[in-house]
Every structure is written in C-alpha cells, then in structure tokens.
C-alpha cells in the first residue's frame, strides 16, 4: 500500500489507496484504519506541492497533523450510499468574502470530502458559479443565453479551484466540463466519469449542462441520474426548508422530510422544477443541508444516523410544524440571524 520513491537523494513515501475502488472487508478496514493512525499528511516539502505521507514521529517541526482516524464516531459502520453527487453552490464557496472563493472554505470542503473518500464512497461534485456571475441577473443589452454561458465559465473557475484544494489534501481529482476546454479539463464523457469514480477519484463537473436556460441544480440532477448516484446532496449556506418564514414566524420549524409532490405542487423553494422532476423520475433522494457546519458533509454523505437538513423523496412531510398560512416553504439562511 505504501511505496518508496526517491527524489533528489531523499527518501519519500507516497500514498496509494487501493481501497477507494471498493468497500473494504471488515478485517481490511480495520488494518487500513490502523495504518492511517501512523501516517499523517504533510504538504510543501522541499518545494514540492503535492501531498505526500510521512510517519507521524518524523513530522516536520514536531507537529503531527490530525489523522482521519481521530473522528471514527462520524462514520457509520455500514455507509448507506455507494455513489453520491454533491452540489455546492457558488455562494457557499465565497464564504464571508462577498465575491470570489474563500480559500478557507475550499480547504474545509476538501478535508471533509477526503474523510468521506476513506470510507470507500464514490463522490461526484457539481459546483455553481453564483460567487462570480449569475446568468439570471443579466443586465439590459446582455442576452440571457450569453449571460448563461458566462455563468458556465464561472462554474469552471470554481471547479478548478476545488480540484486544487482536493489534490492538496491528497484526493485524486478529475474535472470534466460540458463545454470543451481540453487544455485545462476533460470533456464530459459519462462512461469515463463513471470509470474515474470506480477508481476512487473525485469527479467535478463544470460548465453546467452546456446549454443556456438551465440551472446548475438541473445540471447536478442530470449528472446524478447519468452516473447512477444513490443520492443528491445540495450543500448551501442554508439549514434546510422551513414550514414558514422564520424571520416572520418565531415558531417556524424545519422540514425534515418532504415529498417530490409537495415540492412541485406547492412550489417550494428547494430547487427549480426541472431539477426536482429529474430526481423524482429517477427516484433520487435530495438532501438540502448547511455546508458551513463542520462535519455536515461527512455525516450527510455517509448516511449518518443523525438528521441533517431536509430530505426530499417519495415520503411525505414529517416536520410536525405549524403549516404556513400562505402554503409556502422557505429556504432559510442561518447567517441572516
């Protein structure tokens, strides 16, 4: 599992993880977890910018990085999902900066995705571009189709930024774009994307669907259906879907479960109708949760028994909250309090 390599007359160890292509057996999982407690990530050694793995006792400057084995309570013994799609909004990536990408958010997401990969899950990611540009906010004189294409380029910028963060955390990553840009990313090919996932690589889909007038939520639902994802996770700065506006109704309660029909017939603010219809027709459950809460990505993607955000599937509403007087549910941003 660990192979020696020599660089500039210094012995270094690189990490090769064959466990990600399949779920390890119990005795293999135990041995692999034990190995993680002895090896910790170290970055930027001797001018080399890829992540390598060195013994904890020899960690530079005497600092030992936290291993993934330090948080076993976050993981169920039998993960509920095999392959998942994670949709990350552009607004979530900008953090408190107001525009662009917050490096701390990128590193935070990369660490949590790396922890999920250790469990043998196959993870695909779709990123939005709202932190740079939104096609729906086109100004007078800018055609909507052109504005949407600009937004697609924004998603590619986020995809490359997230790829860099994941690879610096030791996660092998591929970016595929719906609009060809071969110098920086692979073109989207479904069978190739599935093969990358089977090999234990994270695949980031950029460029939306490649067509104007479709949101990145629709792109995420489409990719989830194409790769056969077990679930669609929408990670935003929002806690979930509430039964009424919590800013106007102090007793507002968070919906824990909603049905596809409730979302479509009541026009609930979860995602656009095209996206939710795709998920409904392909029986893909949707989970809306708060990206900014530490551990939420790990708990959600591994099927942690704790309830995270709002789940939309074929089951009915189980919020137990007071019905909204106008029959409208709200996506609630915790940061607005």
């Amino acid at each position: 599992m660990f192979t020696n390599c020599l660089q500039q007359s210094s012995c270094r160890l690189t990490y090769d993880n064959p466990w990600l292509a399949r779920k390890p057996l119990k005795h293999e999982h135990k041995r692999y977890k034990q190995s993680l407690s002895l090896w910790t990530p170290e970055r930027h050694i001797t001018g080399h910018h890829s992540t390598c793995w060195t013994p904890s006792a020899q960690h530079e400057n005497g600092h030992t990085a936290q291993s993934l084995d330090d948080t076993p309570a976050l993981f169920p013994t039998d993960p509920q999902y095999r392959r998942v799609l994670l949709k990350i909004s552009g607004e979530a990536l900008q953090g408190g900066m107001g525009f662009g990408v917050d490096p701390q958010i990128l590193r935070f997401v990369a660490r949590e995705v790396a922890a999920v990969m250790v469990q043998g899950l196959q993870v695909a990611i779709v990123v939005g571009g709202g932190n740079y540009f939104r096609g729906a906010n086109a100004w007078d004189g800018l055609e909507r189709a052109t504005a949407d294409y600009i937004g697609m380029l924004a998603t590619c910028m986020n995809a490359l930024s997230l790829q860099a963060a994941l690879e610096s955390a030791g996660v092998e990553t591929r970016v595929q774009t719906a609009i060809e840009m071969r110098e920086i990313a692979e073109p989207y090919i479904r069978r190739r994307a599935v093969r990358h996932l089977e090999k234990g690589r994270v695949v980031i889909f950029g460029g939306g669907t490649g067509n104007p007038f479709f949101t990145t939520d629709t792109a995420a639902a489409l990719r989830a259906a194409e790769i056969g994802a077990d679930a669609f996770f929408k990670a935003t700065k929002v806690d979930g879907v509430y039964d009424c506006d919590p800013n106007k109704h102090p007793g507002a309660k968070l919906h824990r479960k909603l049905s596809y029909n409730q979302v479509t017939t009541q026009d609930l603010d979860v995602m656009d109708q095209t996206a939710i219809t795709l998920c409904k027709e392909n029986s893909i459950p949707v989970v809306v949760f708060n990206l900014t809460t530490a551990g939420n990505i790990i708990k959600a993607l591994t099927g942690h028994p704790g309830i995270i955000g709002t789940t939309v599937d074929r089951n009915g509403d189980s919020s137990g909250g007071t019905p909204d007087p106008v029959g409208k549910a709200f996506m609630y941003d915790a940061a607005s309090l």
Side-chain angles (χ1 to χ4, degrees):
M1 187 166 64
F2 296 94
T3 57
N4 290 324
C5 69
L6 294 175
Q7 282 196 354
Q8 299 178 353
S9 72
S10 63
C11 180
R12 299 179 59 191
L13 295 170
T14 59
Y15 181 74
D16 181 21
N17 187 352
W19 311 96
L20 300 182
R22 61 177 176 84
K23 181 180 175 181
L25 302 176
K26 288 186 178 179
H27 70 280
E28 295 173 334
H29 181 76
K30 181 178 180 181
R31 185 171 68 249
Y32 178 54
K33 296 277 279 186
Q34 288 173 344
S35 71
L36 281 179
S37 65
L38 301 175
W39 298 81
T40 56
E42 183 180 19
R43 300 185 180 89
H44 308 293
I45 301 178
T46 321
H48 188 74
H49 295 284
S50 63
T51 298
C52 65
W53 294 75
T54 56
S56 298
Q58 299 178 9
H59 200 281
E60 192 172 333
N61 298 326
H63 297 294
T64 301
Q66 183 181 15
S67 75
L68 299 179
D69 201 45
D70 293 335
T71 55
L74 290 177
F75 304 113
T77 56
D78 186 17
Q80 181 178 352
Y81 309 110
R82 178 184 63 91
R83 179 179 297 162
V84 298
L85 186 134
L86 175 63
K87 163 68 193 316
I88 303 177
S89 68
E91 289 87 347
L93 291 178
Q94 74 185 8
M97 296 179 62
F99 182 82
V101 174
D102 186 342
Q104 292 185 354
I105 297 293
L106 286 176
R107 287 191 289 267
F108 166 75
V109 172
R111 285 195 300 267
E112 297 223 348
V113 171
V116 168
M117 295 295 289
V118 171
Q119 302 303 303
L121 270 71
Q122 299 174 13
V123 180
I125 300 175
V126 170
V127 288
N131 52 327
Y132 289 113
F133 188 85
R134 277 187 174 278
N137 296 334
W139 56 84
D140 291 340
L142 180 64
E143 294 183 358
R144 172 63 189 274
T146 302
D148 282 347
Y149 283 122
I150 297 173
M152 293 177 208
L153 297 178
T155 69
C156 295
M157 294 165 62
N158 285 334
L160 293 174
S161 298
L162 185 56
Q163 180 188 34
L166 285 166
E167 290 185 339
S168 70
V171 180
E172 193 172 0
T173 308
R174 297 290 185 271
V175 173
Q176 292 193 346
T177 58
I179 300 175
E180 282 197 27
M181 42 187 74
R182 291 180 179 272
E183 288 78 9
I184 62 174
E186 299 178 3
Y188 172 68
I189 300 174
R190 186 188 68 84
R191 291 173 65 89
R192 180 179 291 179
V194 170
R195 186 57 178 156
H196 284 321
L197 293 171
E198 291 173 346
K199 286 180 173 290
R201 299 164 181 155
V202 169
V203 180
I204 304 175
F205 299 117
T209 65
N211 298 289
F213 304 104
F214 291 95
T215 67
T216 51
D217 282 347
T218 297
L222 178 62
R223 298 293 181 248
E226 287 182 305
I227 66 174
D230 299 321
F232 174 168
F233 294 90
K234 183 175 179 180
T236 68
K237 296 168 62 177
V238 172
D239 283 342
V241 183
Y242 281 75
D243 60 350
C244 55
D245 188 347
N247 295 316
K248 298 179 180 178
H249 304 276
K253 293 186 179 181
L254 177 69
H255 283 286
R256 290 303 183 185
K257 294 186 75 69
L258 288 169
S259 69
Y260 299 118
N261 288 336
Q262 284 178 293
V263 173
T264 56
T265 59
Q266 300 179 30
D267 192 25
L268 303 187
D269 190 13
V270 177
M271 59 180 64
D272 64 89
Q273 296 290 325
T274 306
I276 200 67
T277 300
L278 273 172
C279 292
K280 176 183 178 180
E281 291 178 349
N282 293 278
S283 299
I284 302 172
V286 179
V287 180
V288 181
F289 69 97
N290 193 335
L291 170 74
T292 62
T293 302
N296 268 7
I297 294 179
I298 299 173
K299 293 176 183 178
L301 269 61
T302 56
H304 192 272
I307 298 176
I308 302 295
T310 301
T311 300
V312 181
D313 54 21
R314 295 194 180 277
N315 298 325
D317 174 38
S318 61
S319 67
T322 302
D324 179 23
V326 297
K328 175 75 173 177
F330 292 83
M331 297 283 281
Y332 168 55
D333 189 347
S336 66
L337 277 181

PDB file of all heavy atoms in Angstrom, residues 34-61:
ATOM      1  N   GLN A  34      -5.919   1.399  11.047  1.00  0.00           N
ATOM      2  CA  GLN A  34      -4.743   1.411  11.904  1.00  0.00           C
ATOM      3  C   GLN A  34      -3.567   2.078  11.205  1.00  0.00           C
ATOM      4  O   GLN A  34      -2.794   2.812  11.806  1.00  0.00           O
ATOM      5  CB  GLN A  34      -4.388  -0.023  12.300  1.00  0.00           C
ATOM      6  CG  GLN A  34      -5.361  -0.639  13.287  1.00  0.00           C
ATOM      7  CD  GLN A  34      -5.080  -2.109  13.535  1.00  0.00           C
ATOM      8  OE1 GLN A  34      -4.352  -2.756  12.766  1.00  0.00           O
ATOM      9  NE2 GLN A  34      -5.631  -2.652  14.606  1.00  0.00           N
ATOM     10  N   SER A  35      -3.448   1.836   9.892  1.00  0.00           N
ATOM     11  CA  SER A  35      -2.355   2.447   9.147  1.00  0.00           C
ATOM     12  C   SER A  35      -2.496   3.966   9.096  1.00  0.00           C
ATOM     13  O   SER A  35      -1.507   4.686   9.108  1.00  0.00           O
ATOM     14  CB  SER A  35      -2.290   1.871   7.730  1.00  0.00           C
ATOM     15  OG  SER A  35      -3.377   2.328   6.957  1.00  0.00           O
ATOM     16  N   LEU A  36      -3.728   4.463   9.033  1.00  0.00           N
ATOM     17  CA  LEU A  36      -3.944   5.908   8.983  1.00  0.00           C
ATOM     18  C   LEU A  36      -3.479   6.594  10.259  1.00  0.00           C
ATOM     19  O   LEU A  36      -3.054   7.739  10.253  1.00  0.00           O
ATOM     20  CB  LEU A  36      -5.420   6.215   8.751  1.00  0.00           C
ATOM     21  CG  LEU A  36      -5.918   6.081   7.311  1.00  0.00           C
ATOM     22  CD1 LEU A  36      -7.401   6.406   7.259  1.00  0.00           C
ATOM     23  CD2 LEU A  36      -5.150   6.969   6.368  1.00  0.00           C
ATOM     24  N   SER A  37      -3.570   5.893  11.384  1.00  0.00           N
ATOM     25  CA  SER A  37      -3.152   6.491  12.647  1.00  0.00           C
ATOM     26  C   SER A  37      -1.646   6.654  12.714  1.00  0.00           C
ATOM     27  O   SER A  37      -1.129   7.385  13.539  1.00  0.00           O
ATOM     28  CB  SER A  37      -3.641   5.630  13.821  1.00  0.00           C
ATOM     29  OG  SER A  37      -3.014   4.364  13.797  1.00  0.00           O
ATOM     30  N   LEU A  38      -0.902   5.961  11.825  1.00  0.00           N
ATOM     31  CA  LEU A  38       0.552   6.040  11.826  1.00  0.00           C
ATOM     32  C   LEU A  38       1.093   6.976  10.756  1.00  0.00           C
ATOM     33  O   LEU A  38       2.275   7.287  10.735  1.00  0.00           O
ATOM     34  CB  LEU A  38       1.148   4.638  11.601  1.00  0.00           C
ATOM     35  CG  LEU A  38       0.761   3.581  12.634  1.00  0.00           C
ATOM     36  CD1 LEU A  38       1.325   2.235  12.214  1.00  0.00           C
ATOM     37  CD2 LEU A  38       1.249   3.972  14.007  1.00  0.00           C
ATOM     38  N   TRP A  39       0.195   7.419   9.845  1.00  0.00           N
ATOM     39  CA  TRP A  39       0.642   8.244   8.731  1.00  0.00           C
ATOM     40  C   TRP A  39      -0.198   9.506   8.652  1.00  0.00           C
ATOM     41  O   TRP A  39      -1.400   9.453   8.730  1.00  0.00           O
ATOM     42  CB  TRP A  39       0.513   7.461   7.417  1.00  0.00           C
ATOM     43  CG  TRP A  39       1.374   6.251   7.417  1.00  0.00           C
ATOM     44  CD1 TRP A  39       1.099   5.047   8.000  1.00  0.00           C
ATOM     45  CD2 TRP A  39       2.669   6.117   6.849  1.00  0.00           C
ATOM     46  NE1 TRP A  39       2.136   4.187   7.825  1.00  0.00           N
ATOM     47  CE2 TRP A  39       3.123   4.805   7.121  1.00  0.00           C
ATOM     48  CE3 TRP A  39       3.491   6.989   6.129  1.00  0.00           C
ATOM     49  CZ2 TRP A  39       4.349   4.343   6.703  1.00  0.00           C
ATOM     50  CZ3 TRP A  39       4.726   6.527   5.701  1.00  0.00           C
ATOM     51  CH2 TRP A  39       5.142   5.222   5.986  1.00  0.00           C
ATOM     52  N   THR A  40       0.477  10.613   8.509  1.00  0.00           N
ATOM     53  CA  THR A  40      -0.224  11.893   8.501  1.00  0.00           C
ATOM     54  C   THR A  40       0.214  12.712   7.300  1.00  0.00           C
ATOM     55  O   THR A  40       1.342  12.589   6.818  1.00  0.00           O
ATOM     56  CB  THR A  40       0.079  12.693   9.784  1.00  0.00           C
ATOM     57  OG1 THR A  40       1.483  12.850   9.906  1.00  0.00           O
ATOM     58  CG2 THR A  40      -0.471  11.978  10.997  1.00  0.00           C
ATOM     59  N   PRO A  41      -0.682  13.576   6.772  1.00  0.00           N
ATOM     60  CA  PRO A  41      -0.342  14.350   5.577  1.00  0.00           C
ATOM     61  C   PRO A  41       0.631  15.467   5.872  1.00  0.00           C
ATOM     62  O   PRO A  41       0.551  16.119   6.893  1.00  0.00           O
ATOM     63  CB  PRO A  41      -1.696  14.905   5.136  1.00  0.00           C
ATOM     64  CG  PRO A  41      -2.500  14.946   6.371  1.00  0.00           C
ATOM     65  CD  PRO A  41      -2.039  13.801   7.219  1.00  0.00           C
ATOM     66  N   GLU A  42       1.553  15.672   4.942  1.00  0.00           N
ATOM     67  CA  GLU A  42       2.495  16.779   5.048  1.00  0.00           C
ATOM     68  C   GLU A  42       2.579  17.454   3.693  1.00  0.00           C
ATOM     69  O   GLU A  42       2.671  16.787   2.664  1.00  0.00           O
ATOM     70  CB  GLU A  42       3.860  16.260   5.460  1.00  0.00           C
ATOM     71  CG  GLU A  42       4.890  17.358   5.673  1.00  0.00           C
ATOM     72  CD  GLU A  42       6.222  16.768   6.084  1.00  0.00           C
ATOM     73  OE1 GLU A  42       6.432  15.581   5.867  1.00  0.00           O
ATOM     74  OE2 GLU A  42       7.042  17.519   6.598  1.00  0.00           O
ATOM     75  N   ARG A  43       2.537  18.773   3.680  1.00  0.00           N
ATOM     76  CA  ARG A  43       2.484  19.489   2.423  1.00  0.00           C
ATOM     77  C   ARG A  43       3.721  20.361   2.220  1.00  0.00           C
ATOM     78  O   ARG A  43       4.349  20.795   3.175  1.00  0.00           O
ATOM     79  CB  ARG A  43       1.237  20.370   2.349  1.00  0.00           C
ATOM     80  CG  ARG A  43      -0.056  19.590   2.465  1.00  0.00           C
ATOM     81  CD  ARG A  43      -1.226  20.548   2.264  1.00  0.00           C
ATOM     82  NE  ARG A  43      -2.484  19.829   2.365  1.00  0.00           N
ATOM     83  CZ  ARG A  43      -3.130  19.642   3.512  1.00  0.00           C
ATOM     84  NH1 ARG A  43      -2.620  20.099   4.631  1.00  0.00           N
ATOM     85  NH2 ARG A  43      -4.268  18.984   3.531  1.00  0.00           N
ATOM     86  N   HIS A  44       4.003  20.619   0.945  1.00  0.00           N
ATOM     87  CA  HIS A  44       5.015  21.598   0.543  1.00  0.00           C
ATOM     88  C   HIS A  44       6.384  21.276   1.140  1.00  0.00           C
ATOM     89  O   HIS A  44       7.017  22.100   1.790  1.00  0.00           O
ATOM     90  CB  HIS A  44       4.594  23.016   0.951  1.00  0.00           C
ATOM     91  CG  HIS A  44       3.233  23.366   0.491  1.00  0.00           C
ATOM     92  ND1 HIS A  44       2.917  23.515  -0.839  1.00  0.00           N
ATOM     93  CD2 HIS A  44       2.067  23.564   1.161  1.00  0.00           C
ATOM     94  CE1 HIS A  44       1.645  23.821  -0.971  1.00  0.00           C
ATOM     95  NE2 HIS A  44       1.104  23.834   0.223  1.00  0.00           N
ATOM     96  N   ILE A  45       6.855  20.049   0.926  1.00  0.00           N
ATOM     97  CA  ILE A  45       8.171  19.657   1.416  1.00  0.00           C
ATOM     98  C   ILE A  45       9.191  19.871   0.301  1.00  0.00           C
ATOM     99  O   ILE A  45       9.022  19.402  -0.816  1.00  0.00           O
ATOM    100  CB  ILE A  45       8.179  18.181   1.856  1.00  0.00           C
ATOM    101  CG1 ILE A  45       7.142  17.975   2.962  1.00  0.00           C
ATOM    102  CG2 ILE A  45       9.551  17.759   2.323  1.00  0.00           C
ATOM    103  CD1 ILE A  45       7.041  16.557   3.425  1.00  0.00           C
ATOM    104  N   THR A  46      10.270  20.555   0.602  1.00  0.00           N
ATOM    105  CA  THR A  46      11.361  20.772  -0.337  1.00  0.00           C
ATOM    106  C   THR A  46      10.863  21.297  -1.680  1.00  0.00           C
ATOM    107  O   THR A  46      11.227  20.802  -2.745  1.00  0.00           O
ATOM    108  CB  THR A  46      12.148  19.451  -0.552  1.00  0.00           C
ATOM    109  OG1 THR A  46      12.256  18.776   0.689  1.00  0.00           O
ATOM    110  CG2 THR A  46      13.534  19.740  -1.104  1.00  0.00           C
ATOM    111  N   GLY A  47       9.912  22.242  -1.599  1.00  0.00           N
ATOM    112  CA  GLY A  47       9.428  22.882  -2.811  1.00  0.00           C
ATOM    113  C   GLY A  47       8.472  22.050  -3.622  1.00  0.00           C
ATOM    114  O   GLY A  47       8.043  22.467  -4.685  1.00  0.00           O
ATOM    115  N   HIS A  48       8.102  20.849  -3.147  1.00  0.00           N
ATOM    116  CA  HIS A  48       7.169  20.004  -3.903  1.00  0.00           C
ATOM    117  C   HIS A  48       5.768  20.244  -3.370  1.00  0.00           C
ATOM    118  O   HIS A  48       5.542  20.200  -2.176  1.00  0.00           O
ATOM    119  CB  HIS A  48       7.559  18.532  -3.722  1.00  0.00           C
ATOM    120  CG  HIS A  48       6.773  17.616  -4.610  1.00  0.00           C
ATOM    121  ND1 HIS A  48       7.018  17.527  -5.956  1.00  0.00           N
ATOM    122  CD2 HIS A  48       5.765  16.758  -4.343  1.00  0.00           C
ATOM    123  CE1 HIS A  48       6.199  16.634  -6.487  1.00  0.00           C
ATOM    124  NE2 HIS A  48       5.424  16.161  -5.532  1.00  0.00           N
ATOM    125  N   HIS A  49       4.799  20.494  -4.255  1.00  0.00           N
ATOM    126  CA  HIS A  49       3.487  20.963  -3.831  1.00  0.00           C
ATOM    127  C   HIS A  49       2.425  19.892  -3.822  1.00  0.00           C
ATOM    128  O   HIS A  49       1.270  20.181  -3.627  1.00  0.00           O
ATOM    129  CB  HIS A  49       3.036  22.121  -4.724  1.00  0.00           C
ATOM    130  CG  HIS A  49       3.910  23.317  -4.578  1.00  0.00           C
ATOM    131  ND1 HIS A  49       3.844  24.148  -3.488  1.00  0.00           N
ATOM    132  CD2 HIS A  49       4.894  23.798  -5.365  1.00  0.00           C
ATOM    133  CE1 HIS A  49       4.736  25.117  -3.620  1.00  0.00           C
ATOM    134  NE2 HIS A  49       5.375  24.917  -4.748  1.00  0.00           N
ATOM    135  N   SER A  50       2.763  18.638  -4.062  1.00  0.00           N
ATOM    136  CA  SER A  50       1.755  17.598  -3.961  1.00  0.00           C
ATOM    137  C   SER A  50       1.789  16.998  -2.570  1.00  0.00           C
ATOM    138  O   SER A  50       2.812  17.037  -1.894  1.00  0.00           O
ATOM    139  CB  SER A  50       1.992  16.500  -5.000  1.00  0.00           C
ATOM    140  OG  SER A  50       3.234  15.881  -4.743  1.00  0.00           O
ATOM    141  N   THR A  51       0.679  16.451  -2.143  1.00  0.00           N
ATOM    142  CA  THR A  51       0.609  15.887  -0.800  1.00  0.00           C
ATOM    143  C   THR A  51       1.359  14.575  -0.730  1.00  0.00           C
ATOM    144  O   THR A  51       1.202  13.713  -1.585  1.00  0.00           O
ATOM    145  CB  THR A  51      -0.853  15.645  -0.406  1.00  0.00           C
ATOM    146  OG1 THR A  51      -1.511  16.905  -0.392  1.00  0.00           O
ATOM    147  CG2 THR A  51      -0.959  15.018   0.969  1.00  0.00           C
ATOM    148  N   CYS A  52       2.186  14.416   0.262  1.00  0.00           N
ATOM    149  CA  CYS A  52       2.846  13.146   0.497  1.00  0.00           C
ATOM    150  C   CYS A  52       2.508  12.697   1.909  1.00  0.00           C
ATOM    151  O   CYS A  52       1.904  13.433   2.676  1.00  0.00           O
ATOM    152  CB  CYS A  52       4.356  13.256   0.313  1.00  0.00           C
ATOM    153  SG  CYS A  52       5.141  14.334   1.527  1.00  0.00           S
ATOM    154  N   TRP A  53       2.944  11.519   2.264  1.00  0.00           N
ATOM    155  CA  TRP A  53       2.618  10.962   3.569  1.00  0.00           C
ATOM    156  C   TRP A  53       3.892  10.524   4.262  1.00  0.00           C
ATOM    157  O   TRP A  53       4.708   9.800   3.703  1.00  0.00           O
ATOM    158  CB  TRP A  53       1.666   9.778   3.409  1.00  0.00           C
ATOM    159  CG  TRP A  53       0.354  10.188   2.885  1.00  0.00           C
ATOM    160  CD1 TRP A  53       0.045  10.532   1.608  1.00  0.00           C
ATOM    161  CD2 TRP A  53      -0.853  10.347   3.627  1.00  0.00           C
ATOM    162  NE1 TRP A  53      -1.266  10.897   1.493  1.00  0.00           N
ATOM    163  CE2 TRP A  53      -1.839  10.787   2.712  1.00  0.00           C
ATOM    164  CE3 TRP A  53      -1.200  10.150   4.968  1.00  0.00           C
ATOM    165  CZ2 TRP A  53      -3.142  11.036   3.095  1.00  0.00           C
ATOM    166  CZ3 TRP A  53      -2.493  10.400   5.347  1.00  0.00           C
ATOM    167  CH2 TRP A  53      -3.444  10.841   4.426  1.00  0.00           C
ATOM    168  N   THR A  54       4.061  10.990   5.482  1.00  0.00           N
ATOM    169  CA  THR A  54       5.270  10.681   6.227  1.00  0.00           C
ATOM    170  C   THR A  54       4.911  10.215   7.619  1.00  0.00           C
ATOM    171  O   THR A  54       3.842  10.546   8.135  1.00  0.00           O
ATOM    172  CB  THR A  54       6.175  11.927   6.356  1.00  0.00           C
ATOM    173  OG1 THR A  54       5.413  12.965   6.968  1.00  0.00           O
ATOM    174  CG2 THR A  54       6.647  12.398   4.984  1.00  0.00           C
ATOM    175  N   PRO A  55       5.782   9.423   8.282  1.00  0.00           N
ATOM    176  CA  PRO A  55       5.460   8.936   9.622  1.00  0.00           C
ATOM    177  C   PRO A  55       5.227  10.063  10.597  1.00  0.00           C
ATOM    178  O   PRO A  55       5.898  11.087  10.558  1.00  0.00           O
ATOM    179  CB  PRO A  55       6.701   8.117   9.994  1.00  0.00           C
ATOM    180  CG  PRO A  55       7.354   7.784   8.689  1.00  0.00           C
ATOM    181  CD  PRO A  55       7.053   8.936   7.779  1.00  0.00           C
ATOM    182  N   SER A  56       4.252   9.870  11.498  1.00  0.00           N
ATOM    183  CA  SER A  56       3.913  10.906  12.474  1.00  0.00           C
ATOM    184  C   SER A  56       5.115  11.288  13.318  1.00  0.00           C
ATOM    185  O   SER A  56       5.320  12.442  13.649  1.00  0.00           O
ATOM    186  CB  SER A  56       2.781  10.406  13.383  1.00  0.00           C
ATOM    187  OG  SER A  56       1.631  10.151  12.623  1.00  0.00           O
ATOM    188  N   ALA A  57       5.935  10.299  13.681  1.00  0.00           N
ATOM    189  CA  ALA A  57       7.064  10.572  14.566  1.00  0.00           C
ATOM    190  C   ALA A  57       8.103  11.450  13.890  1.00  0.00           C
ATOM    191  O   ALA A  57       8.892  12.107  14.553  1.00  0.00           O
ATOM    192  CB  ALA A  57       7.712   9.252  14.995  1.00  0.00           C
ATOM    193  N   GLN A  58       8.093  11.489  12.532  1.00  0.00           N
ATOM    194  CA  GLN A  58       9.091  12.264  11.818  1.00  0.00           C
ATOM    195  C   GLN A  58       8.486  13.507  11.188  1.00  0.00           C
ATOM    196  O   GLN A  58       9.076  14.112  10.310  1.00  0.00           O
ATOM    197  CB  GLN A  58       9.720  11.391  10.722  1.00  0.00           C
ATOM    198  CG  GLN A  58      10.421  10.166  11.281  1.00  0.00           C
ATOM    199  CD  GLN A  58      10.989   9.309  10.175  1.00  0.00           C
ATOM    200  OE1 GLN A  58      11.012   9.700   9.017  1.00  0.00           O
ATOM    201  NE2 GLN A  58      11.459   8.124  10.533  1.00  0.00           N
ATOM    202  N   HIS A  59       7.279  13.877  11.609  1.00  0.00           N
ATOM    203  CA  HIS A  59       6.619  15.038  11.002  1.00  0.00           C
ATOM    204  C   HIS A  59       7.442  16.288  11.247  1.00  0.00           C
ATOM    205  O   HIS A  59       7.954  16.517  12.336  1.00  0.00           O
ATOM    206  CB  HIS A  59       5.226  15.215  11.599  1.00  0.00           C
ATOM    207  CG  HIS A  59       4.321  16.028  10.744  1.00  0.00           C
ATOM    208  ND1 HIS A  59       4.371  17.388  10.703  1.00  0.00           N
ATOM    209  CD2 HIS A  59       3.340  15.649   9.882  1.00  0.00           C
ATOM    210  CE1 HIS A  59       3.456  17.841   9.863  1.00  0.00           C
ATOM    211  NE2 HIS A  59       2.819  16.806   9.349  1.00  0.00           N
ATOM    212  N   GLU A  60       7.580  17.103  10.226  1.00  0.00           N
ATOM    213  CA  GLU A  60       8.440  18.279  10.282  1.00  0.00           C
ATOM    214  C   GLU A  60       8.030  19.225  11.401  1.00  0.00           C
ATOM    215  O   GLU A  60       6.869  19.444  11.653  1.00  0.00           O
ATOM    216  CB  GLU A  60       8.359  18.997   8.927  1.00  0.00           C
ATOM    217  CG  GLU A  60       9.419  20.071   8.762  1.00  0.00           C
ATOM    218  CD  GLU A  60       9.433  20.613   7.354  1.00  0.00           C
ATOM    219  OE1 GLU A  60       9.045  19.884   6.437  1.00  0.00           O
ATOM    220  OE2 GLU A  60       9.842  21.766   7.186  1.00  0.00           O
ATOM    221  N   ASN A  61       9.041  19.789  12.073  1.00  0.00           N
ATOM    222  CA  ASN A  61       8.853  20.749  13.165  1.00  0.00           C
ATOM    223  C   ASN A  61       8.142  20.142  14.366  1.00  0.00           C
ATOM    224  O   ASN A  61       7.669  20.858  15.244  1.00  0.00           O
ATOM    225  CB  ASN A  61       8.062  21.978  12.695  1.00  0.00           C
ATOM    226  CG  ASN A  61       8.809  22.725  11.606  1.00  0.00           C
ATOM    227  OD1 ASN A  61      10.050  22.767  11.616  1.00  0.00           O
ATOM    228  ND2 ASN A  61       8.074  23.293  10.659  1.00  0.00           N
TER     229      ASN A  61
END
